[in-house]
mmCIF file of all heavy atoms in Angstrom:
data_model
loop_
_atom_site.group_PDB
_atom_site.id
_atom_site.type_symbol
_atom_site.label_atom_id
_atom_site.label_comp_id
_atom_site.label_asym_id
_atom_site.label_seq_id
_atom_site.Cartn_x
_atom_site.Cartn_y
_atom_site.Cartn_z
ATOM 1 N N ASP V 1 -9.166 28.277 6.967
ATOM 2 C CA ASP V 1 -9.540 29.687 7.005
ATOM 3 C C ASP V 1 -10.998 29.744 7.453
ATOM 4 O O ASP V 1 -11.622 28.718 7.726
ATOM 5 C CB ASP V 1 -9.363 30.341 5.634
ATOM 6 C CG ASP V 1 -7.892 30.532 5.288
ATOM 7 O OD1 ASP V 1 -7.123 30.937 6.180
ATOM 8 O OD2 ASP V 1 -7.522 30.279 4.131
ATOM 9 N N TYR V 2 -11.560 30.948 7.518
ATOM 10 C CA TYR V 2 -12.929 31.079 8.010
ATOM 11 C C TYR V 2 -13.734 31.967 7.094
ATOM 12 O O TYR V 2 -13.253 32.996 6.626
ATOM 13 C CB TYR V 2 -12.927 31.658 9.441
ATOM 14 C CG TYR V 2 -14.216 31.447 10.172
ATOM 15 C CD1 TYR V 2 -14.603 30.175 10.576
ATOM 16 C CD2 TYR V 2 -15.064 32.499 10.442
ATOM 17 C CE1 TYR V 2 -15.804 29.969 11.252
ATOM 18 C CE2 TYR V 2 -16.264 32.306 11.113
ATOM 19 C CZ TYR V 2 -16.624 31.034 11.517
ATOM 20 O OH TYR V 2 -17.807 30.825 12.167
ATOM 21 N N GLY V 3 -14.961 31.531 6.795
ATOM 22 C CA GLY V 3 -15.916 32.337 6.032
ATOM 23 C C GLY V 3 -16.943 32.887 7.000
ATOM 24 O O GLY V 3 -16.603 33.226 8.133
ATOM 25 N N TYR V 4 -18.188 32.967 6.589
ATOM 26 C CA TYR V 4 -19.270 33.337 7.494
ATOM 27 C C TYR V 4 -19.907 32.053 8.010
ATOM 28 O O TYR V 4 -20.684 31.411 7.317
ATOM 29 C CB TYR V 4 -20.322 34.183 6.781
ATOM 30 C CG TYR V 4 -19.843 35.549 6.358
ATOM 31 C CD1 TYR V 4 -20.110 36.031 5.088
ATOM 32 C CD2 TYR V 4 -19.124 36.371 7.220
ATOM 33 C CE1 TYR V 4 -19.685 37.285 4.684
ATOM 34 C CE2 TYR V 4 -18.685 37.619 6.832
ATOM 35 C CZ TYR V 4 -18.972 38.071 5.566
ATOM 36 O OH TYR V 4 -18.547 39.306 5.181
ATOM 37 N N LEU V 5 -19.560 31.653 9.212
ATOM 38 C CA LEU V 5 -20.051 30.458 9.904
ATOM 39 C C LEU V 5 -19.537 29.144 9.311
ATOM 40 O O LEU V 5 -19.996 28.074 9.690
ATOM 41 C CB LEU V 5 -21.589 30.439 9.967
ATOM 42 C CG LEU V 5 -22.224 31.644 10.649
ATOM 43 C CD1 LEU V 5 -23.744 31.552 10.565
ATOM 44 C CD2 LEU V 5 -21.762 31.771 12.087
ATOM 45 N N TRP V 6 -18.601 29.194 8.377
ATOM 46 C CA TRP V 6 -18.036 27.983 7.772
ATOM 47 C C TRP V 6 -16.519 28.014 7.907
ATOM 48 O O TRP V 6 -15.885 29.046 7.706
ATOM 49 C CB TRP V 6 -18.368 27.897 6.283
ATOM 50 C CG TRP V 6 -19.810 27.776 5.968
ATOM 51 C CD1 TRP V 6 -20.628 28.754 5.466
ATOM 52 C CD2 TRP V 6 -20.624 26.619 6.104
ATOM 53 N NE1 TRP V 6 -21.896 28.273 5.290
ATOM 54 C CE2 TRP V 6 -21.922 26.955 5.680
ATOM 55 C CE3 TRP V 6 -20.397 25.323 6.543
ATOM 56 C CZ2 TRP V 6 -22.980 26.060 5.674
ATOM 57 C CZ3 TRP V 6 -21.441 24.425 6.544
ATOM 58 C CH2 TRP V 6 -22.716 24.798 6.116
ATOM 59 N N TRP V 7 -15.933 26.872 8.199
ATOM 60 C CA TRP V 7 -14.485 26.697 8.081
ATOM 61 C C TRP V 7 -14.198 26.345 6.630
ATOM 62 O O TRP V 7 -14.983 25.649 5.984
ATOM 63 C CB TRP V 7 -13.998 25.585 9.012
ATOM 64 C CG TRP V 7 -14.118 25.954 10.444
ATOM 65 C CD1 TRP V 7 -15.076 25.535 11.319
ATOM 66 C CD2 TRP V 7 -13.268 26.838 11.171
ATOM 67 N NE1 TRP V 7 -14.877 26.106 12.540
ATOM 68 C CE2 TRP V 7 -13.769 26.914 12.486
ATOM 69 C CE3 TRP V 7 -12.134 27.584 10.840
ATOM 70 C CZ2 TRP V 7 -13.168 27.685 13.469
ATOM 71 C CZ3 TRP V 7 -11.539 28.356 11.829
ATOM 72 C CH2 TRP V 7 -12.052 28.408 13.115
ATOM 73 N N LEU V 8 -13.060 26.785 6.138
ATOM 74 C CA LEU V 8 -12.685 26.574 4.735
ATOM 75 C C LEU V 8 -11.363 25.814 4.688
ATOM 76 O O LEU V 8 -10.297 26.406 4.858
ATOM 77 C CB LEU V 8 -12.576 27.928 4.018
ATOM 78 C CG LEU V 8 -13.794 28.847 4.216
ATOM 79 C CD1 LEU V 8 -13.516 30.228 3.653
ATOM 80 C CD2 LEU V 8 -15.027 28.241 3.594
ATOM 81 N N PRO V 9 -11.417 24.498 4.486
ATOM 82 C CA PRO V 9 -10.204 23.683 4.501
ATOM 83 C C PRO V 9 -9.342 23.931 3.256
ATOM 84 O O PRO V 9 -9.759 23.647 2.142
ATOM 85 C CB PRO V 9 -10.707 22.248 4.560
ATOM 86 C CG PRO V 9 -12.159 22.289 4.250
ATOM 87 C CD PRO V 9 -12.618 23.701 4.323
ATOM 88 N N ARG V 10 -8.162 24.446 3.472
ATOM 89 C CA ARG V 10 -7.257 24.763 2.359
ATOM 90 C C ARG V 10 -6.864 23.524 1.562
ATOM 91 O O ARG V 10 -6.755 23.579 0.347
ATOM 92 C CB ARG V 10 -5.985 25.427 2.889
ATOM 93 C CG ARG V 10 -6.209 26.792 3.448
ATOM 94 C CD ARG V 10 -4.908 27.375 3.954
ATOM 95 N NE ARG V 10 -5.130 28.683 4.552
ATOM 96 C CZ ARG V 10 -4.177 29.412 5.071
ATOM 97 N NH1 ARG V 10 -2.935 28.979 5.083
ATOM 98 N NH2 ARG V 10 -4.460 30.592 5.595
ATOM 99 N N ILE V 11 -6.670 22.403 2.253
ATOM 100 C CA ILE V 11 -6.161 21.205 1.575
ATOM 101 C C ILE V 11 -7.170 20.569 0.628
ATOM 102 O O ILE V 11 -6.808 19.732 -0.188
ATOM 103 C CB ILE V 11 -5.649 20.149 2.579
ATOM 104 C CG1 ILE V 11 -6.783 19.688 3.495
ATOM 105 C CG2 ILE V 11 -4.492 20.680 3.380
ATOM 106 C CD1 ILE V 11 -6.401 18.526 4.386
ATOM 107 N N LEU V 12 -8.445 20.958 0.727
ATOM 108 C CA LEU V 12 -9.463 20.371 -0.139
ATOM 109 C C LEU V 12 -9.803 21.249 -1.330
ATOM 110 O O LEU V 12 -10.606 20.873 -2.168
ATOM 111 C CB LEU V 12 -10.723 20.065 0.664
ATOM 112 C CG LEU V 12 -10.531 19.038 1.768
ATOM 113 C CD1 LEU V 12 -11.816 18.858 2.547
ATOM 114 C CD2 LEU V 12 -10.044 17.716 1.213
ATOM 115 N N GLY V 13 -9.221 22.430 -1.389
ATOM 116 C CA GLY V 13 -9.419 23.279 -2.549
ATOM 117 C C GLY V 13 -10.538 24.278 -2.402
ATOM 118 O O GLY V 13 -11.375 24.198 -1.501
ATOM 119 N N ARG V 14 -10.540 25.199 -3.325
ATOM 120 C CA ARG V 14 -11.517 26.289 -3.332
ATOM 121 C C ARG V 14 -12.944 25.741 -3.457
ATOM 122 O O ARG V 14 -13.199 24.822 -4.226
ATOM 123 C CB ARG V 14 -11.194 27.212 -4.498
ATOM 124 C CG ARG V 14 -11.995 28.468 -4.532
ATOM 125 C CD ARG V 14 -11.523 29.349 -5.680
ATOM 126 N NE ARG V 14 -12.316 30.535 -5.750
ATOM 127 C CZ ARG V 14 -11.922 31.714 -5.280
ATOM 128 N NH1 ARG V 14 -10.732 31.838 -4.752
ATOM 129 N NH2 ARG V 14 -12.703 32.759 -5.364
ATOM 130 N N GLY V 15 -13.843 26.316 -2.710
ATOM 131 C CA GLY V 15 -15.241 25.915 -2.761
ATOM 132 C C GLY V 15 -15.637 24.907 -1.692
ATOM 133 O O GLY V 15 -16.814 24.679 -1.463
ATOM 134 N N SER V 16 -14.662 24.295 -1.035
ATOM 135 C CA SER V 16 -14.967 23.348 0.038
ATOM 136 C C SER V 16 -15.302 24.114 1.314
ATOM 137 O O SER V 16 -14.705 25.154 1.591
ATOM 138 C CB SER V 16 -13.771 22.442 0.308
ATOM 139 O OG SER V 16 -13.448 21.701 -0.838
ATOM 140 N N PHE V 17 -16.248 23.596 2.083
ATOM 141 C CA PHE V 17 -16.563 24.233 3.360
ATOM 142 C C PHE V 17 -16.955 23.183 4.387
ATOM 143 O O PHE V 17 -17.396 22.086 4.047
ATOM 144 C CB PHE V 17 -17.627 25.323 3.213
ATOM 145 C CG PHE V 17 -18.900 24.893 2.543
ATOM 146 C CD1 PHE V 17 -19.997 24.508 3.288
ATOM 147 C CD2 PHE V 17 -19.003 24.902 1.155
ATOM 148 C CE1 PHE V 17 -21.189 24.138 2.673
ATOM 149 C CE2 PHE V 17 -20.186 24.537 0.530
ATOM 150 C CZ PHE V 17 -21.282 24.150 1.289
ATOM 151 N N LEU V 18 -16.773 23.545 5.660
ATOM 152 C CA LEU V 18 -16.861 22.587 6.748
ATOM 153 C C LEU V 18 -17.519 23.232 7.959
ATOM 154 O O LEU V 18 -17.184 24.362 8.318
ATOM 155 C CB LEU V 18 -15.443 22.140 7.119
ATOM 156 C CG LEU V 18 -15.192 21.318 8.360
ATOM 157 C CD1 LEU V 18 -15.768 19.921 8.209
ATOM 158 C CD2 LEU V 18 -13.688 21.230 8.626
ATOM 159 N N ALA V 19 -18.448 22.521 8.595
ATOM 160 C CA ALA V 19 -19.010 22.916 9.885
ATOM 161 C C ALA V 19 -18.506 21.925 10.921
ATOM 162 O O ALA V 19 -18.469 20.714 10.663
ATOM 163 C CB ALA V 19 -20.536 22.907 9.837
ATOM 164 N N ILE V 20 -18.091 22.441 12.061
ATOM 165 C CA ILE V 20 -17.600 21.597 13.156
ATOM 166 C C ILE V 20 -18.490 21.862 14.364
ATOM 167 O O ILE V 20 -18.584 22.985 14.838
ATOM 168 C CB ILE V 20 -16.133 21.910 13.498
ATOM 169 C CG1 ILE V 20 -15.243 21.729 12.263
ATOM 170 C CG2 ILE V 20 -15.654 21.027 14.652
ATOM 171 C CD1 ILE V 20 -13.806 22.166 12.465
ATOM 172 N N GLY V 21 -19.160 20.814 14.831
ATOM 173 C CA GLY V 21 -20.081 20.958 15.954
ATOM 174 C C GLY V 21 -19.515 20.398 17.238
ATOM 175 O O GLY V 21 -18.388 19.903 17.296
ATOM 176 N N ASN V 22 -20.318 20.477 18.281
ATOM 177 C CA ASN V 22 -19.920 19.933 19.579
ATOM 178 C C ASN V 22 -19.767 18.417 19.515
ATOM 179 O O ASN V 22 -20.460 17.746 18.762
ATOM 180 C CB ASN V 22 -20.981 20.268 20.637
ATOM 181 C CG ASN V 22 -20.933 21.722 21.037
ATOM 182 O OD1 ASN V 22 -19.863 22.332 21.066
ATOM 183 N ND2 ASN V 22 -22.080 22.280 21.342
ATOM 184 N N PHE V 23 -18.866 17.912 20.322
ATOM 185 C CA PHE V 23 -18.691 16.472 20.501
ATOM 186 C C PHE V 23 -18.261 15.747 19.230
ATOM 187 O O PHE V 23 -18.585 14.584 19.022
ATOM 188 C CB PHE V 23 -19.972 15.824 21.052
ATOM 189 C CG PHE V 23 -20.483 16.459 22.307
ATOM 190 C CD1 PHE V 23 -21.625 17.235 22.300
ATOM 191 C CD2 PHE V 23 -19.807 16.299 23.504
ATOM 192 C CE1 PHE V 23 -22.102 17.826 23.451
ATOM 193 C CE2 PHE V 23 -20.272 16.890 24.665
ATOM 194 C CZ PHE V 23 -21.426 17.657 24.645
ATOM 195 N N GLY V 24 -17.547 16.420 18.338
ATOM 196 C CA GLY V 24 -17.013 15.753 17.152
ATOM 197 C C GLY V 24 -18.012 15.522 16.047
ATOM 198 O O GLY V 24 -17.958 14.508 15.357
ATOM 199 N N GLN V 25 -18.932 16.445 15.848
ATOM 200 C CA GLN V 25 -19.869 16.364 14.729
ATOM 201 C C GLN V 25 -19.342 17.235 13.597
ATOM 202 O O GLN V 25 -18.855 18.341 13.834
ATOM 203 C CB GLN V 25 -21.250 16.845 15.161
ATOM 204 C CG GLN V 25 -21.833 16.008 16.272
ATOM 205 C CD GLN V 25 -23.138 16.582 16.787
ATOM 206 O OE1 GLN V 25 -23.805 17.351 16.115
ATOM 207 N NE2 GLN V 25 -23.502 16.192 17.984
ATOM 208 N N TYR V 26 -19.436 16.727 12.368
ATOM 209 C CA TYR V 26 -18.889 17.429 11.208
ATOM 210 C C TYR V 26 -19.848 17.368 10.027
ATOM 211 O O TYR V 26 -20.571 16.390 9.860
ATOM 212 C CB TYR V 26 -17.563 16.790 10.761
ATOM 213 C CG TYR V 26 -16.475 16.876 11.794
ATOM 214 C CD1 TYR V 26 -16.327 15.899 12.758
ATOM 215 C CD2 TYR V 26 -15.589 17.946 11.795
ATOM 216 C CE1 TYR V 26 -15.327 15.974 13.716
ATOM 217 C CE2 TYR V 26 -14.585 18.033 12.743
ATOM 218 C CZ TYR V 26 -14.471 17.041 13.701
ATOM 219 O OH TYR V 26 -13.477 17.141 14.646
ATOM 220 N N LEU V 27 -19.795 18.396 9.208
ATOM 221 C CA LEU V 27 -20.481 18.434 7.921
ATOM 222 C C LEU V 27 -19.497 19.040 6.934
ATOM 223 O O LEU V 27 -19.029 20.159 7.133
ATOM 224 C CB LEU V 27 -21.741 19.301 7.983
ATOM 225 C CG LEU V 27 -22.359 19.647 6.626
ATOM 226 C CD1 LEU V 27 -23.052 18.426 6.048
ATOM 227 C CD2 LEU V 27 -23.321 20.801 6.741
ATOM 228 N N LEU V 28 -19.150 18.299 5.898
ATOM 229 C CA LEU V 28 -18.170 18.751 4.910
ATOM 230 C C LEU V 28 -18.769 18.667 3.516
ATOM 231 O O LEU V 28 -19.360 17.644 3.156
ATOM 232 C CB LEU V 28 -16.911 17.881 4.962
ATOM 233 C CG LEU V 28 -15.878 18.123 3.868
ATOM 234 C CD1 LEU V 28 -15.228 19.497 4.027
ATOM 235 C CD2 LEU V 28 -14.831 17.033 3.872
ATOM 236 N N CYS V 29 -18.618 19.731 2.745
ATOM 237 C CA CYS V 29 -19.033 19.761 1.345
ATOM 238 C C CYS V 29 -17.820 20.058 0.481
ATOM 239 O O CYS V 29 -17.112 21.041 0.723
ATOM 240 C CB CYS V 29 -20.091 20.836 1.118
ATOM 241 S SG CYS V 29 -21.592 20.543 2.065
ATOM 242 N N VAL V 30 -17.573 19.191 -0.500
ATOM 243 C CA VAL V 30 -16.458 19.360 -1.436
ATOM 244 C C VAL V 30 -17.041 19.302 -2.840
ATOM 245 O O VAL V 30 -17.534 18.257 -3.267
ATOM 246 C CB VAL V 30 -15.392 18.251 -1.274
ATOM 247 C CG1 VAL V 30 -14.230 18.477 -2.230
ATOM 248 C CG2 VAL V 30 -14.906 18.162 0.167
ATOM 249 N N PRO V 31 -17.024 20.442 -3.541
ATOM 250 C CA PRO V 31 -17.565 20.438 -4.909
ATOM 251 C C PRO V 31 -16.789 19.475 -5.803
ATOM 252 O O PRO V 31 -15.607 19.254 -5.571
ATOM 253 C CB PRO V 31 -17.370 21.873 -5.370
ATOM 254 C CG PRO V 31 -17.209 22.675 -4.137
ATOM 255 C CD PRO V 31 -16.581 21.752 -3.130
ATOM 256 N N PRO V 32 -17.456 18.843 -6.783
ATOM 257 C CA PRO V 32 -18.787 19.181 -7.256
ATOM 258 C C PRO V 32 -19.923 18.449 -6.562
ATOM 259 O O PRO V 32 -21.076 18.804 -6.758
ATOM 260 C CB PRO V 32 -18.740 18.806 -8.736
ATOM 261 C CG PRO V 32 -17.804 17.655 -8.795
ATOM 262 C CD PRO V 32 -16.783 17.931 -7.713
ATOM 263 N N GLY V 33 -19.669 17.410 -5.736
ATOM 264 C CA GLY V 33 -20.824 16.707 -5.190
ATOM 265 C C GLY V 33 -20.548 15.787 -4.014
ATOM 266 O O GLY V 33 -21.366 14.923 -3.722
ATOM 267 N N LEU V 34 -19.431 15.963 -3.334
ATOM 268 C CA LEU V 34 -19.135 15.104 -2.187
ATOM 269 C C LEU V 34 -19.601 15.791 -0.906
ATOM 270 O O LEU V 34 -19.232 16.932 -0.626
ATOM 271 C CB LEU V 34 -17.632 14.829 -2.095
ATOM 272 C CG LEU V 34 -17.162 14.008 -0.896
ATOM 273 C CD1 LEU V 34 -17.761 12.603 -0.930
ATOM 274 C CD2 LEU V 34 -15.641 13.935 -0.873
ATOM 275 N N VAL V 35 -20.438 15.093 -0.136
ATOM 276 C CA VAL V 35 -20.893 15.575 1.166
ATOM 277 C C VAL V 35 -20.636 14.459 2.174
ATOM 278 O O VAL V 35 -21.050 13.319 1.969
ATOM 279 C CB VAL V 35 -22.398 15.936 1.152
ATOM 280 C CG1 VAL V 35 -22.868 16.347 2.546
ATOM 281 C CG2 VAL V 35 -22.672 17.030 0.140
ATOM 282 N N ILE V 36 -19.941 14.804 3.258
ATOM 283 C CA ILE V 36 -19.665 13.842 4.325
ATOM 284 C C ILE V 36 -20.216 14.416 5.619
ATOM 285 O O ILE V 36 -19.901 15.545 5.990
ATOM 286 C CB ILE V 36 -18.151 13.563 4.465
ATOM 287 C CG1 ILE V 36 -17.595 12.978 3.165
ATOM 288 C CG2 ILE V 36 -17.894 12.629 5.640
ATOM 289 C CD1 ILE V 36 -16.092 12.791 3.164
ATOM 290 N N VAL V 37 -21.045 13.629 6.297
ATOM 291 C CA VAL V 37 -21.622 14.030 7.574
ATOM 292 C C VAL V 37 -21.187 13.018 8.615
ATOM 293 O O VAL V 37 -21.314 11.809 8.416
ATOM 294 C CB VAL V 37 -23.167 14.069 7.498
ATOM 295 C CG1 VAL V 37 -23.769 14.402 8.852
ATOM 296 C CG2 VAL V 37 -23.627 15.040 6.429
ATOM 297 N N HIS V 38 -20.662 13.507 9.730
ATOM 298 C CA HIS V 38 -20.290 12.643 10.854
ATOM 299 C C HIS V 38 -21.109 13.078 12.055
ATOM 300 O O HIS V 38 -20.979 14.194 12.531
ATOM 301 C CB HIS V 38 -18.796 12.765 11.163
ATOM 302 C CG HIS V 38 -18.368 11.876 12.281
ATOM 303 N ND1 HIS V 38 -18.391 12.283 13.589
ATOM 304 C CD2 HIS V 38 -17.939 10.601 12.284
ATOM 305 C CE1 HIS V 38 -17.974 11.288 14.355
ATOM 306 N NE2 HIS V 38 -17.696 10.259 13.589
ATOM 307 N N GLN V 39 -22.000 12.191 12.505
ATOM 308 C CA GLN V 39 -22.861 12.487 13.645
ATOM 309 C C GLN V 39 -22.379 11.716 14.864
ATOM 310 O O GLN V 39 -21.714 10.688 14.736
ATOM 311 C CB GLN V 39 -24.303 12.078 13.358
ATOM 312 C CG GLN V 39 -24.924 12.809 12.210
ATOM 313 C CD GLN V 39 -26.345 12.336 11.955
ATOM 314 O OE1 GLN V 39 -26.731 11.233 12.310
ATOM 315 N NE2 GLN V 39 -27.127 13.190 11.332
ATOM 316 N N ARG V 40 -22.753 12.202 16.015
ATOM 317 C CA ARG V 40 -22.433 11.523 17.274
ATOM 318 C C ARG V 40 -23.702 11.315 18.066
ATOM 319 O O ARG V 40 -24.589 12.159 18.066
ATOM 320 C CB ARG V 40 -21.490 12.391 18.123
ATOM 321 C CG ARG V 40 -20.108 12.565 17.590
ATOM 322 C CD ARG V 40 -19.323 11.266 17.585
ATOM 323 N NE ARG V 40 -19.407 10.540 18.829
ATOM 324 C CZ ARG V 40 -18.538 10.627 19.826
ATOM 325 N NH1 ARG V 40 -17.504 11.398 19.730
ATOM 326 N NH2 ARG V 40 -18.705 9.934 20.926
ATOM 327 N N ASP V 41 -23.783 10.195 18.752
ATOM 328 C CA ASP V 41 -24.865 9.935 19.681
ATOM 329 C C ASP V 41 -24.347 10.296 21.072
ATOM 330 O O ASP V 41 -23.530 9.574 21.635
ATOM 331 C CB ASP V 41 -25.277 8.464 19.617
ATOM 332 C CG ASP V 41 -26.428 8.142 20.552
ATOM 333 O OD1 ASP V 41 -27.129 9.073 20.971
ATOM 334 O OD2 ASP V 41 -26.616 6.961 20.853
ATOM 335 N N VAL V 42 -24.767 11.435 21.580
ATOM 336 C CA VAL V 42 -24.303 11.920 22.872
ATOM 337 C C VAL V 42 -25.485 11.927 23.832
ATOM 338 O O VAL V 42 -26.532 12.506 23.522
ATOM 339 C CB VAL V 42 -23.710 13.354 22.742
ATOM 340 C CG1 VAL V 42 -23.247 13.870 24.076
ATOM 341 C CG2 VAL V 42 -22.580 13.362 21.721
ATOM 342 N N PRO V 43 -25.324 11.286 24.994
ATOM 343 C CA PRO V 43 -26.433 11.235 25.949
ATOM 344 C C PRO V 43 -26.870 12.637 26.396
ATOM 345 O O PRO V 43 -26.047 13.541 26.547
ATOM 346 C CB PRO V 43 -25.859 10.451 27.137
ATOM 347 C CG PRO V 43 -24.662 9.740 26.596
ATOM 348 C CD PRO V 43 -24.153 10.564 25.458
ATOM 349 N N ASP V 44 -28.176 12.791 26.631
ATOM 350 C CA ASP V 44 -28.719 14.088 27.042
ATOM 351 C C ASP V 44 -28.054 14.619 28.311
ATOM 352 O O ASP V 44 -27.800 15.816 28.423
ATOM 353 C CB ASP V 44 -30.233 13.996 27.266
ATOM 354 C CG ASP V 44 -30.996 13.834 25.962
ATOM 355 O OD1 ASP V 44 -30.429 14.131 24.893
ATOM 356 O OD2 ASP V 44 -32.169 13.415 26.018
ATOM 357 N N ASP V 45 -27.770 13.733 29.298
ATOM 358 C CA ASP V 45 -27.177 14.222 30.538
ATOM 359 C C ASP V 45 -25.778 14.799 30.306
ATOM 360 O O ASP V 45 -25.367 15.734 30.988
ATOM 361 C CB ASP V 45 -27.163 13.148 31.626
ATOM 362 C CG ASP V 45 -26.433 11.880 31.231
ATOM 363 O OD1 ASP V 45 -26.125 11.695 30.033
ATOM 364 O OD2 ASP V 45 -26.173 11.052 32.119
ATOM 365 N N THR V 46 -25.077 14.302 29.314
ATOM 366 C CA THR V 46 -23.761 14.846 28.974
ATOM 367 C C THR V 46 -23.896 16.228 28.338
ATOM 368 O O THR V 46 -23.148 17.149 28.664
ATOM 369 C CB THR V 46 -23.018 13.885 28.019
ATOM 370 O OG1 THR V 46 -22.875 12.626 28.667
ATOM 371 C CG2 THR V 46 -21.663 14.425 27.630
#
């Protein structure tokens, strides 16, 4: 589902929120304290 600028993954339960960026970058917060960040190294010319 969608909040204000956050995706809300139903399968992770209430209070979880997710940002999805370009080139497969992610930021996920799952209460009470799990945070997962996935970064990508993308060349500037790309």
Side-chain angles (χ1 to χ4, degrees):
D1 288 318
Y2 197 69
Y4 293 134
L5 302 176
W6 296 105
W7 292 103
L8 310 172
R10 292 180 182 180
I11 61 173
L12 297 177
R14 188 176 178 101
S16 299
F17 54 96
L18 170 69
I20 303 173
N22 286 326
F23 306 108
Q25 299 174 21
Y26 297 88
L27 167 74
L28 172 68
C29 298
V30 182
L34 177 63
V35 176
I36 299 175
V37 176
H38 181 270
Q39 298 179 337
R40 292 294 312 266
D41 181 19
V42 179
D44 289 342
D45 57 347
T46 301

